[in-house]
Amino acid sequence: MNITDLPFGVTDWSEVEKTEHAGEQGSAYWQTRTFGDIRVRMVEYSPGYLADHWCAKGHILLCLEGELHTELKDGRSFVLHPGSSYQVADNAELHRSSTEQGAKLFVVD
């Protein structure tokens, strides 16, 4: 990642609008800021959330609250708890998220 032409700034996430994105089950609520080609998000998954697609987008993702289950198309699975993160490149490994109890994430992509 090469970050250019981005002056110092502060984001008060309480002032960023939430948008709802339905999953196969449950919903994801995104608060999104975009800086050039970089998208930064706070994402909250409702309890029982299951993504409605296999994602090919690269992310750096940090779990802030709850528990996030990430399944890779090849069958591997991982569980993130607060303070743990994952990173994956664009088009590298298809993945999808789910959570039984809900989760809050900070995502850069």
XYZ file of all heavy atoms in Angstrom:
864
model
N 0.854 -1.171 0.000
C 0.000 0.000 0.000
C 0.896 1.229 0.000
O 1.832 1.319 0.778
C -0.896 0.000 1.244
C -1.746 1.219 1.363
S -2.711 1.369 2.894
C -3.491 -0.198 3.021
N 0.598 2.151 -0.862
C 1.330 3.403 -0.921
C 0.336 4.528 -0.628
O -0.571 4.783 -1.416
C 1.960 3.574 -2.304
C 2.861 4.773 -2.379
O 3.272 5.315 -1.359
N 3.176 5.193 -3.587
N 0.488 5.166 0.511
C -0.428 6.229 0.907
C 0.193 7.564 0.512
O 1.246 7.940 1.025
C -0.702 6.192 2.427
C -1.294 4.839 2.822
C -1.626 7.340 2.834
C -1.441 4.649 4.312
N -0.474 8.263 -0.412
C 0.017 9.565 -0.868
C -1.115 10.581 -0.822
O -2.296 10.227 -0.809
C 0.559 9.477 -2.312
O -0.504 9.048 -3.181
C 1.709 8.488 -2.421
N -0.739 11.836 -0.796
C -1.713 12.937 -0.850
C -2.823 12.802 0.187
O -3.992 13.003 -0.102
C -2.315 13.055 -2.250
C -1.265 13.312 -3.299
O -0.355 14.135 -3.038
O -1.312 12.682 -4.374
N -2.434 12.462 1.401
C -3.398 12.315 2.480
C -2.926 13.141 3.661
O -2.061 12.722 4.418
C -3.526 10.835 2.875
C -4.525 10.504 3.982
C -5.942 10.886 3.596
C -4.450 9.020 4.306
N -3.495 14.333 3.822
C -3.086 15.154 4.962
C -3.577 14.544 6.265
O -4.510 13.735 6.286
C -3.776 16.498 4.691
C -4.938 16.163 3.826
C -4.533 14.960 3.013
N -2.950 14.926 7.354
C -3.367 14.457 8.664
C -4.827 14.810 8.892
O -5.282 15.906 8.573
C -2.509 15.095 9.770
C -2.892 14.624 11.142
C -2.368 13.456 11.654
C -3.810 15.336 11.902
C -2.743 12.994 12.913
C -4.193 14.887 13.156
C -3.656 13.714 13.669
N -5.565 13.877 9.466
C -6.970 14.117 9.769
C -7.421 13.219 10.900
O -6.785 12.203 11.205
N -8.517 13.585 11.532
C -9.096 12.826 12.637
C -10.523 12.456 12.253
O -11.253 13.287 11.707
C -9.090 13.664 13.939
C -9.831 12.947 15.050
C -7.660 13.992 14.347
N -10.914 11.230 12.533
C -12.283 10.791 12.275
C -12.987 10.544 13.599
O -12.516 9.751 14.414
C -12.309 9.496 11.433
O -11.675 9.752 10.180
C -13.731 9.023 11.201
N -14.092 11.228 13.813
C -14.975 10.957 14.948
C -16.046 10.009 14.419
O -16.990 10.420 13.739
C -15.594 12.258 15.464
C -16.526 12.042 16.639
O -16.915 10.872 16.913
O -16.893 13.039 17.285
N -15.865 8.712 14.693
C -16.753 7.699 14.125
C -18.198 7.866 14.576
O -19.118 7.408 13.888
C -16.228 6.299 14.437
C -14.978 6.029 13.646
C -13.698 6.135 14.082
C -14.904 5.686 12.268
N -12.821 5.865 13.054
C -13.534 5.579 11.936
C -15.851 5.447 11.286
C -13.104 5.239 10.652
C -15.424 5.104 10.009
C -14.071 5.008 9.704
N -18.439 8.550 15.682
C -19.817 8.775 16.125
C -20.569 9.705 15.174
O -21.789 9.763 15.201
C -19.846 9.334 17.549
O -19.340 10.661 17.584
N -19.834 10.414 14.327
C -20.456 11.341 13.381
C -20.572 10.768 11.966
O -21.097 11.432 11.077
C -19.652 12.637 13.337
C -19.660 13.390 14.651
C -18.850 14.669 14.607
O -18.235 14.974 13.566
O -18.837 15.374 15.630
N -20.102 9.538 11.752
C -20.135 8.932 10.425
C -21.401 8.093 10.282
O -21.676 7.215 11.120
C -18.877 8.064 10.177
C -18.941 7.393 8.804
C -17.609 8.910 10.314
N -22.172 8.358 9.244
C -23.442 7.678 8.998
C -23.246 6.171 8.860
O -22.272 5.705 8.269
C -24.074 8.210 7.712
C -25.356 7.533 7.311
C -25.867 7.991 5.955
O -25.233 8.825 5.303
O -26.927 7.470 5.545
N -24.206 5.397 9.397
C -24.210 3.944 9.257
C -25.102 3.555 8.086
O -26.189 4.120 7.916
C -24.746 3.263 10.520
C -23.802 3.260 11.673
C -24.349 2.449 12.836
C -23.371 2.501 13.999
N -23.843 1.694 15.135
N -24.625 2.594 7.306
C -25.441 2.020 6.238
C -25.605 0.535 6.521
O -24.689 -0.125 7.011
C -24.803 2.235 4.854
O -23.494 1.664 4.834
C -24.722 3.722 4.524
N -26.789 0.011 6.216
C -27.078 -1.394 6.482
C -26.839 -2.223 5.232
O -27.221 -1.836 4.121
C -28.524 -1.562 6.939
C -28.868 -2.992 7.297
C -30.271 -3.148 7.865
O -31.002 -2.152 7.981
O -30.622 -4.295 8.198
N -26.202 -3.384 5.419
C -25.926 -4.320 4.327
C -26.395 -5.700 4.790
O -25.819 -6.267 5.721
C -24.425 -4.339 3.995
C -23.907 -2.994 3.637
N -23.764 -2.573 2.341
C -23.522 -1.944 4.414
C -23.294 -1.336 2.329
N -23.157 -0.933 3.582
N -27.442 -6.199 4.130
C -28.014 -7.485 4.531
C -27.072 -8.622 4.170
O -26.461 -8.630 3.100
C -29.364 -7.693 3.851
N -26.950 -9.582 5.072
C -26.217 -10.805 4.802
C -27.195 -11.901 4.407
O -28.398 -11.666 4.303
N -26.670 -13.102 4.193
C -27.549 -14.250 3.986
C -28.412 -14.420 5.232
O -29.581 -14.776 5.160
C -26.711 -15.494 3.723
C -27.506 -16.722 3.371
C -26.631 -17.890 2.981
O -25.795 -17.727 2.082
O -26.789 -18.965 3.605
N -27.805 -14.141 6.380
C -28.512 -14.050 7.659
C -27.992 -12.815 8.371
O -26.803 -12.508 8.298
C -28.242 -15.277 8.522
C -28.674 -16.587 7.917
C -28.201 -17.772 8.749
O -27.828 -17.632 9.907
N -28.209 -18.939 8.138
N -28.847 -12.088 9.034
C -28.432 -10.909 9.798
C -28.013 -9.744 8.915
O -28.215 -9.761 7.700
N -27.423 -8.751 9.542
C -27.033 -7.529 8.841
C -25.660 -7.058 9.285
O -25.228 -7.333 10.412
C -28.030 -6.404 9.114
O -29.286 -6.696 8.539
N -25.019 -6.316 8.383
C -23.769 -5.620 8.685
C -24.067 -4.129 8.617
O -24.804 -3.675 7.739
C -22.687 -5.993 7.672
N -23.515 -3.376 9.548
C -23.689 -1.931 9.582
C -22.320 -1.303 9.380
O -21.413 -1.533 10.177
C -24.319 -1.502 10.909
C -25.667 -2.153 11.105
C -25.773 -3.376 11.777
C -26.812 -1.576 10.583
C -27.003 -3.994 11.930
C -28.049 -2.199 10.737
C -28.130 -3.389 11.400
O -29.354 -4.010 11.541
N -22.169 -0.575 8.290
C -20.889 0.028 7.921
C -20.893 1.516 8.177
O -21.868 2.215 7.869
C -20.609 -0.138 6.439
C -20.457 -1.500 5.890
C -20.681 -2.696 6.506
C -20.051 -1.802 4.553
N -20.439 -3.725 5.641
C -20.052 -3.210 4.434
C -19.702 -1.032 3.460
C -19.700 -3.852 3.243
C -19.364 -1.669 2.282
C -19.358 -3.060 2.186
N -19.801 2.009 8.719
C -19.487 3.435 8.748
C -18.225 3.551 7.897
O -17.219 2.899 8.194
C -19.235 3.918 10.168
C -20.478 3.871 11.038
C -20.129 4.143 12.470
O -19.685 3.239 13.173
N -20.300 5.379 12.898
N -18.293 4.326 6.837
C -17.234 4.301 5.826
C -16.658 5.684 5.578
O -17.400 6.659 5.438
C -17.795 3.750 4.490
O -18.405 2.484 4.733
C -16.701 3.608 3.450
N -15.346 5.736 5.520
C -14.609 6.916 5.073
C -13.724 6.459 3.913
O -13.170 5.355 3.948
C -13.716 7.490 6.174
C -14.420 8.039 7.400
C -15.116 9.376 7.204
N -14.355 10.356 6.462
C -13.508 11.252 6.975
N -13.289 11.281 8.280
N -12.886 12.105 6.207
N -13.597 7.300 2.899
C -12.760 6.983 1.745
C -11.722 8.074 1.584
O -12.049 9.267 1.618
C -13.617 6.871 0.468
O -14.630 5.879 0.695
C -12.772 6.450 -0.720
N -10.479 7.646 1.418
C -9.356 8.558 1.243
C -8.619 8.121 -0.017
O -7.826 7.179 0.020
C -8.422 8.511 2.454
C -9.129 8.738 3.769
C -9.478 7.680 4.591
C -9.464 10.024 4.182
C -10.124 7.884 5.798
C -10.117 10.244 5.393
C -10.452 9.174 6.198
N -8.929 8.769 -1.152
C -8.350 8.334 -2.415
C -8.799 6.911 -2.709
O -9.990 6.615 -2.729
N -7.840 5.995 -2.882
C -8.156 4.591 -3.162
C -8.319 3.752 -1.898
O -8.528 2.546 -1.984
C -7.046 3.960 -4.008
C -6.984 4.546 -5.403
O -8.014 5.069 -5.871
O -5.900 4.477 -6.029
N -8.221 4.369 -0.730
C -8.264 3.629 0.524
C -9.637 3.809 1.177
O -10.095 4.931 1.388
C -7.163 4.104 1.490
C -5.788 3.921 0.846
C -7.258 3.355 2.808
C -4.681 4.608 1.601
N -10.262 2.681 1.491
C -11.539 2.700 2.200
C -11.267 2.244 3.633
O -10.619 1.223 3.856
C -12.524 1.753 1.513
C -13.881 1.689 2.184
C -14.860 0.866 1.395
N -14.470 -0.534 1.353
C -15.230 -1.506 0.833
N -16.388 -1.214 0.274
N -14.806 -2.754 0.848
N -11.776 2.999 4.603
C -11.622 2.688 6.022
C -13.027 2.570 6.599
O -13.868 3.450 6.380
C -10.812 3.790 6.750
C -10.663 3.474 8.216
C -9.455 3.987 6.085
N -13.260 1.471 7.353
C -14.621 1.234 7.843
C -14.627 0.744 9.282
O -13.735 0.020 9.712
C -15.320 0.148 7.011
C -15.540 0.506 5.577
C -16.193 -0.628 4.815
N -15.246 -1.715 4.592
C -15.587 -2.981 4.379
N -16.856 -3.346 4.386
N -14.664 -3.898 4.167
N -15.657 1.133 10.005
C -16.081 0.474 11.225
C -17.262 -0.384 10.793
O -18.206 0.119 10.154
C -16.550 1.463 12.282
C -15.435 2.208 12.929
S -14.524 1.141 14.033
C -14.052 2.332 15.222
N -17.206 -1.665 11.100
C -18.262 -2.587 10.685
C -18.776 -3.309 11.920
O -17.986 -3.825 12.714
C -17.733 -3.609 9.653
C -18.814 -4.614 9.292
C -17.223 -2.904 8.398
N -20.093 -3.328 12.078
C -20.727 -4.088 13.152
C -21.610 -5.150 12.525
O -22.445 -4.849 11.667
C -21.575 -3.170 14.032
C -20.753 -2.189 14.837
C -21.607 -1.339 15.765
O -22.328 -1.938 16.602
O -21.551 -0.120 15.646
N -21.393 -6.402 12.933
C -22.226 -7.509 12.491
C -23.225 -7.840 13.578
O -22.870 -7.944 14.759
C -21.388 -8.750 12.203
C -20.504 -8.660 10.979
C -19.172 -9.051 11.043
C -20.988 -8.209 9.771
C -18.356 -9.001 9.925
C -20.180 -8.138 8.651
C -18.869 -8.547 8.737
O -18.073 -8.479 7.620
N -24.473 -8.031 13.179
C -25.509 -8.424 14.144
C -25.280 -9.874 14.575
O -24.636 -10.648 13.849
C -26.894 -8.288 13.500
O -27.045 -9.230 12.446
N -25.780 -10.252 15.751
C -25.710 -11.667 16.134
C -26.360 -12.530 15.055
O -27.386 -12.156 14.481
C -26.503 -11.714 17.437
C -26.357 -10.331 18.008
C -26.388 -9.424 16.791
N -25.732 -13.664 14.760
C -26.264 -14.571 13.747
C -25.919 -14.197 12.319
O -26.424 -14.810 11.381
N -25.034 -13.203 12.129
C -24.688 -12.750 10.773
C -23.939 -13.833 9.998
O -23.065 -14.514 10.524
C -23.809 -11.499 10.839
C -23.350 -11.027 9.480
C -24.189 -10.271 8.674
C -22.088 -11.363 9.008
C -23.769 -9.854 7.414
C -21.663 -10.947 7.752
C -22.508 -10.197 6.966
O -22.098 -9.786 5.717
N -24.285 -13.970 8.712
C -23.561 -14.801 7.752
C -23.507 -14.034 6.445
O -24.554 -13.620 5.920
C -24.256 -16.145 7.541
C -23.691 -17.028 6.421
C -22.239 -17.431 6.705
C -24.564 -18.263 6.208
N -22.314 -13.809 5.919
C -22.151 -13.080 4.662
C -22.899 -13.786 3.536
O -23.008 -15.016 3.510
C -20.670 -12.953 4.313
N -23.387 -13.000 2.588
C -24.150 -13.552 1.464
C -23.272 -13.827 0.240
O -23.785 -14.096 -0.839
C -25.292 -12.614 1.089
C -24.815 -11.268 0.567
O -23.604 -10.988 0.626
O -25.669 -10.490 0.084
N -21.934 -13.755 0.399
C -21.035 -13.966 -0.747
C -19.639 -14.365 -0.264
O -19.297 -14.149 0.900
C -20.931 -12.682 -1.577
C -20.257 -11.567 -0.841
N -20.898 -10.836 0.148
C -18.991 -11.077 -0.903
C -20.051 -9.939 0.640
N -18.885 -10.064 0.031
N -18.872 -14.935 -1.156
C -17.445 -15.170 -0.940
C -16.737 -13.923 -1.425
O -16.935 -13.494 -2.566
C -16.974 -16.391 -1.718
C -17.490 -17.665 -1.145
C -18.591 -18.364 -1.565
C -16.941 -18.386 -0.036
N -18.759 -19.471 -0.772
C -17.758 -19.516 0.162
C -15.848 -18.191 0.797
C -17.509 -20.446 1.162
C -15.598 -19.124 1.789
C -16.419 -20.232 1.971
N -15.931 -13.331 -0.590
C -15.293 -12.043 -0.882
C -13.890 -12.259 -1.457
O -13.116 -13.055 -0.923
C -15.217 -11.224 0.403
S -14.547 -9.575 0.168
N -13.564 -11.512 -2.527
C -12.235 -11.562 -3.136
C -11.429 -10.302 -2.838
O -10.267 -10.206 -3.206
C -12.371 -11.749 -4.650
N -12.049 -9.338 -2.167
C -11.382 -8.074 -1.860
C -10.337 -8.271 -0.774
O -10.565 -9.012 0.176
C -12.436 -7.060 -1.398
C -11.903 -5.716 -1.003
C -11.539 -4.901 -2.222
C -11.086 -3.508 -1.814
N -9.935 -3.088 -2.591
N -9.208 -7.615 -0.915
C -8.190 -7.645 0.128
C -8.570 -6.739 1.278
O -9.201 -5.694 1.074
N -8.212 -7.138 2.486
C -8.520 -6.355 3.680
C -7.392 -6.476 4.695
O -6.695 -7.486 4.742
C -9.757 -6.877 4.430
C -10.943 -7.188 3.626
N -11.779 -6.229 3.126
C -11.466 -8.375 3.245
C -12.774 -6.814 2.471
N -12.594 -8.115 2.527
N -7.308 -5.492 5.541
C -6.648 -5.604 6.835
C -7.758 -5.354 7.832
O -8.424 -4.320 7.780
C -5.499 -4.596 6.992
C -4.431 -4.858 5.929
C -4.923 -4.673 8.403
C -3.362 -3.800 5.857
N -7.997 -6.312 8.702
C -9.172 -6.296 9.551
C -8.760 -6.547 10.996
O -8.033 -7.492 11.269
C -10.117 -7.403 9.059
C -11.441 -7.591 9.746
C -12.440 -8.125 8.745
C -11.326 -8.534 10.922
N -9.232 -5.697 11.906
C -8.967 -5.819 13.334
C -10.288 -6.011 14.066
O -11.220 -5.202 13.900
C -8.265 -4.561 13.858
C -8.094 -4.435 15.375
C -7.177 -5.533 15.911
C -7.568 -3.049 15.740
N -10.380 -7.065 14.862
C -11.574 -7.308 15.672
C -11.498 -6.447 16.934
O -10.530 -6.530 17.692
C -11.662 -8.790 16.030
S -13.119 -9.215 17.000
N -12.516 -5.627 17.147
C -12.577 -4.749 18.314
C -13.450 -5.314 19.427
O -13.145 -5.140 20.610
C -13.121 -3.378 17.910
C -12.309 -2.614 16.859
C -13.066 -1.367 16.422
C -10.943 -2.273 17.395
N -14.553 -5.964 19.042
C -15.504 -6.516 20.012
C -16.104 -7.794 19.440
O -16.199 -7.945 18.223
C -16.651 -5.531 20.276
C -16.251 -4.222 20.897
C -17.413 -3.233 21.004
O -18.576 -3.615 20.740
O -17.147 -2.073 21.349
N -16.532 -8.687 20.309
C -17.232 -9.891 19.885
C -16.297 -10.969 19.376
O -15.133 -11.060 19.783
N -16.825 -11.784 18.470
C -16.076 -12.913 17.923
C -16.439 -13.058 16.453
O -17.618 -13.149 16.111
C -16.455 -14.179 18.697
C -15.727 -15.421 18.248
C -16.107 -16.625 19.086
O -15.522 -16.781 20.175
O -17.011 -17.378 18.644
N -15.435 -13.069 15.583
C -15.646 -13.163 14.140
C -15.096 -14.494 13.636
O -13.955 -14.837 13.904
C -14.936 -12.019 13.414
C -15.098 -12.042 11.894
C -16.524 -11.650 11.510
C -14.086 -11.140 11.233
N -15.931 -15.207 12.899
C -15.516 -16.453 12.250
C -15.258 -16.130 10.779
O -16.122 -15.552 10.119
C -16.607 -17.510 12.371
C -16.858 -17.923 13.780
N -16.428 -19.117 14.289
C -17.477 -17.277 14.805
C -16.778 -19.199 15.557
N -17.414 -18.090 15.900
N -14.091 -16.517 10.289
C -13.751 -16.304 8.884
C -13.449 -17.654 8.269
O -12.581 -18.390 8.746
C -12.545 -15.367 8.739
O -12.874 -14.106 9.330
C -12.196 -15.149 7.276
N -14.186 -17.968 7.218
C -14.027 -19.225 6.500
C -13.391 -18.925 5.150
O -13.804 -17.990 4.456
C -15.406 -19.860 6.301
C -15.410 -21.135 5.519
C -16.823 -21.676 5.281
O -17.808 -20.988 5.631
O -16.921 -22.772 4.724
N -12.377 -19.686 4.774
C -11.782 -19.570 3.451
C -12.414 -20.614 2.540
O -12.830 -21.682 2.985
C -10.266 -19.763 3.508
C -9.491 -18.827 4.437
C -7.993 -19.056 4.293
C -9.837 -17.376 4.180
N -12.483 -20.296 1.259
C -13.118 -21.181 0.276
C -12.460 -22.560 0.275
O -13.099 -23.559 -0.023
C -13.052 -20.534 -1.105
C -13.801 -21.263 -2.187
C -15.274 -21.007 -2.122
C -15.949 -21.599 -3.356
N -17.278 -21.147 -3.545
N -11.163 -22.631 0.633
C -10.454 -23.919 0.638
C -10.767 -24.764 1.875
O -10.212 -25.847 2.055
C -8.952 -23.719 0.490
C -8.281 -23.042 1.683
O -8.916 -22.888 2.744
O -7.108 -22.653 1.554
N -11.651 -24.278 2.753
C -12.079 -25.053 3.900
C -11.447 -24.657 5.223
O -11.932 -25.057 6.280
N -10.368 -23.882 5.199
C -9.772 -23.437 6.461
C -10.696 -22.430 7.126
O -11.445 -21.722 6.463
C -8.406 -22.793 6.211
C -7.350 -23.798 5.782
C -6.022 -23.116 5.538
N -6.123 -22.298 4.324
C -5.327 -21.265 4.054
N -4.374 -20.908 4.907
N -5.476 -20.584 2.936
N -10.615 -22.360 8.463
C -11.414 -21.376 9.190
C -10.602 -20.818 10.346
O -9.710 -21.483 10.877
C -12.722 -21.983 9.675
O -12.475 -23.030 10.573
N -10.945 -19.588 10.721
C -10.222 -18.858 11.753
C -11.231 -18.113 12.610
O -12.278 -17.703 12.122
C -9.238 -17.858 11.126
C -8.262 -18.515 10.195
C -8.568 -18.696 8.854
C -7.046 -18.984 10.664
C -7.678 -19.320 7.994
C -6.147 -19.613 9.817
C -6.467 -19.777 8.472
N -10.891 -17.924 13.877
C -11.748 -17.168 14.792
C -10.940 -16.001 15.326
O -9.833 -16.186 15.838
C -12.247 -18.049 15.955
C -13.105 -17.232 16.912
C -13.028 -19.251 15.415
N -11.490 -14.797 15.184
C -10.853 -13.601 15.718
C -11.603 -13.145 16.958
O -12.840 -13.170 16.997
C -10.860 -12.468 14.691
C -9.730 -12.488 13.673
C -9.917 -13.608 12.667
C -9.663 -11.158 12.942
N -10.834 -12.734 17.956
C -11.351 -12.152 19.189
C -10.815 -10.734 19.295
O -9.890 -10.374 18.558
C -10.895 -12.988 20.392
C -11.436 -14.372 20.361
N -10.726 -15.440 19.855
C -12.629 -14.880 20.762
C -11.451 -16.541 19.951
N -12.609 -16.233 20.495
N -11.338 -9.923 20.201
C -10.837 -8.553 20.332
C -9.311 -8.515 20.455
O -8.713 -9.266 21.223
C -11.524 -8.052 21.602
C -12.819 -8.807 21.621
C -12.449 -10.178 21.126
N -8.714 -7.687 19.604
C -7.264 -7.537 19.602
C -6.562 -8.390 18.567
O -5.364 -8.237 18.355
N -7.288 -9.286 17.888
C -6.659 -10.083 16.832
C -7.095 -9.547 15.475
O -8.138 -8.904 15.334
C -6.982 -11.572 16.983
O -8.373 -11.813 16.944
N -6.282 -9.837 14.454
C -6.535 -9.287 13.124
C -6.185 -10.319 12.062
O -5.554 -11.334 12.341
C -5.710 -8.018 12.908
O -4.325 -8.304 12.937
N -6.607 -10.034 10.829
C -6.112 -10.791 9.683
C -5.854 -9.828 8.546
O -6.342 -8.699 8.532
C -7.031 -11.945 9.273
C -8.297 -11.609 8.518
C -8.272 -11.124 7.215
C -9.546 -11.827 9.082
C -9.432 -10.860 6.507
C -10.717 -11.569 8.397
C -10.645 -11.087 7.096
O -11.796 -10.826 6.408
N -5.085 -10.312 7.585
C -4.815 -9.562 6.371
C -4.840 -10.550 5.217
O -4.451 -11.699 5.360
C -3.481 -8.819 6.422
C -2.272 -9.666 6.746
C -2.177 -10.020 8.228
O -2.580 -9.260 9.105
N -1.667 -11.216 8.519
N -5.366 -10.098 4.074
C -5.445 -10.917 2.871
C -5.397 -9.979 1.672
O -5.952 -8.875 1.711
C -6.721 -11.801 2.859
C -7.991 -10.957 2.827
C -6.688 -12.798 1.701
N -4.717 -10.403 0.621
C -4.574 -9.585 -0.590
C -5.803 -9.716 -1.493
O -6.573 -10.680 -1.385
C -3.322 -10.025 -1.362
N -5.979 -8.742 -2.375
C -7.028 -8.821 -3.390
C -6.868 -10.113 -4.192
O -5.752 -10.470 -4.595
C -6.949 -7.635 -4.356
C -7.368 -6.318 -3.729
O -8.213 -6.333 -2.820
O -6.853 -5.272 -4.155
N -7.978 -10.804 -4.425
C -8.028 -12.000 -5.265
C -7.097 -13.120 -4.809
O -6.751 -13.999 -5.605
C -7.735 -11.643 -6.727
C -8.677 -10.582 -7.236
O -9.893 -10.717 -7.124
N -8.123 -9.501 -7.741
N -6.670 -13.113 -3.548
C -5.739 -14.131 -3.068
C -6.482 -15.374 -2.586
O -6.233 -16.474 -3.052
C -4.857 -13.574 -1.956
N -7.381 -15.214 -1.644
C -8.121 -16.333 -1.066
C -9.539 -15.879 -0.763
O -9.733 -14.954 0.031
C -7.418 -16.819 0.197
C -6.034 -17.381 -0.099
C -5.178 -17.537 1.129
O -4.779 -16.503 1.697
O -4.935 -18.683 1.499
N -10.500 -16.508 -1.406
C -11.887 -16.158 -1.152
C -12.221 -16.452 0.303
O -11.814 -17.473 0.853
C -12.816 -16.945 -2.071
C -12.677 -16.649 -3.563
C -13.592 -17.572 -4.361
C -12.983 -15.198 -3.860
N -12.978 -15.539 0.921
C -13.296 -15.647 2.335
C -14.692 -15.108 2.596
O -15.218 -14.331 1.805
C -12.261 -14.882 3.177
C -12.054 -13.477 2.731
N -11.267 -13.142 1.645
C -12.547 -12.308 3.189
C -11.286 -11.831 1.465
N -12.057 -11.308 2.396
N -15.275 -15.548 3.702
C -16.562 -14.997 4.133
C -16.619 -15.025 5.647
O -15.981 -15.831 6.302
C -17.747 -15.714 3.509
C -17.989 -17.102 4.000
C -19.251 -17.662 3.379
N -19.399 -19.063 3.752
C -20.410 -19.807 3.405
N -21.374 -19.293 2.656
N -20.486 -21.065 3.789
N -17.422 -14.114 6.170
C -17.494 -13.906 7.621
C -18.834 -14.343 8.177
O -19.861 -14.279 7.498
C -17.292 -12.424 7.941
O -16.008 -12.012 7.555
N -18.786 -14.731 9.448
C -20.004 -15.017 10.191
C -19.715 -14.755 11.668
O -18.558 -14.669 12.087
C -20.465 -16.464 9.986
O -19.516 -17.371 10.512
N -20.779 -14.606 12.433
C -20.642 -14.446 13.878
C -21.922 -14.902 14.551
O -23.022 -14.636 14.049
C -20.310 -12.991 14.273
O -20.203 -12.900 15.689
C -21.330 -11.993 13.773
N -21.767 -15.609 15.644
C -22.934 -16.032 16.417
C -23.386 -14.923 17.347
O -24.568 -14.646 17.473
C -22.613 -17.291 17.221
C -22.376 -18.511 16.365
C -22.016 -19.739 17.173
O -22.170 -19.716 18.414
O -21.574 -20.722 16.561
N -22.447 -14.267 18.003
C -22.781 -13.285 19.040
C -22.735 -11.840 18.571
O -23.133 -10.947 19.299
C -21.851 -13.455 20.234
C -20.389 -13.125 19.922
C -19.473 -13.406 21.096
O -19.675 -14.337 21.865
N -18.436 -12.611 21.219
N -22.222 -11.596 17.373
C -22.017 -10.236 16.881
C -20.555 -9.866 16.989
O -19.805 -10.481 17.755
N -20.147 -8.871 16.224
C -18.765 -8.438 16.244
C -18.661 -7.002 15.744
O -19.515 -6.549 14.971
C -17.891 -9.342 15.367
N -17.626 -6.303 16.210
C -17.313 -4.965 15.733
C -15.878 -4.990 15.226
O -14.982 -5.490 15.908
C -17.463 -3.921 16.841
C -17.259 -2.499 16.355
C -17.566 -1.501 17.468
C -17.458 -0.074 16.957
N -17.839 0.878 18.015
N -15.679 -4.445 14.030
C -14.389 -4.538 13.339
C -13.940 -3.182 12.835
O -14.768 -2.305 12.559
C -14.528 -5.460 12.111
C -15.294 -6.760 12.308
C -15.598 -7.391 10.967
C -14.508 -7.690 13.193
N -12.629 -3.033 12.686
C -12.031 -1.893 11.987
C -11.376 -2.482 10.755
O -10.555 -3.405 10.869
C -11.008 -1.180 12.867
C -10.390 0.030 12.231
C -11.111 1.209 12.138
C -9.117 -0.020 11.710
C -10.554 2.336 11.545
C -8.545 1.093 11.117
C -9.266 2.285 11.038
N -11.740 -1.986 9.565
C -11.303 -2.586 8.307
C -10.694 -1.530 7.409
O -11.250 -0.436 7.237
C -12.500 -3.229 7.573
C -12.049 -3.931 6.299
C -13.281 -4.181 8.477
N -9.549 -1.874 6.816
C -8.911 -1.027 5.805
C -8.813 -1.837 4.529
O -8.318 -2.970 4.540
C -7.499 -0.569 6.259
C -6.842 0.283 5.175
C -7.574 0.190 7.568
N -9.323 -1.292 3.442
C -9.231 -1.974 2.145
C -9.279 -0.992 0.994
O -9.332 0.187 1.190
C -10.290 -3.064 1.997
C -11.725 -2.631 2.296
O -12.048 -1.433 2.226
O -12.527 -3.519 2.609
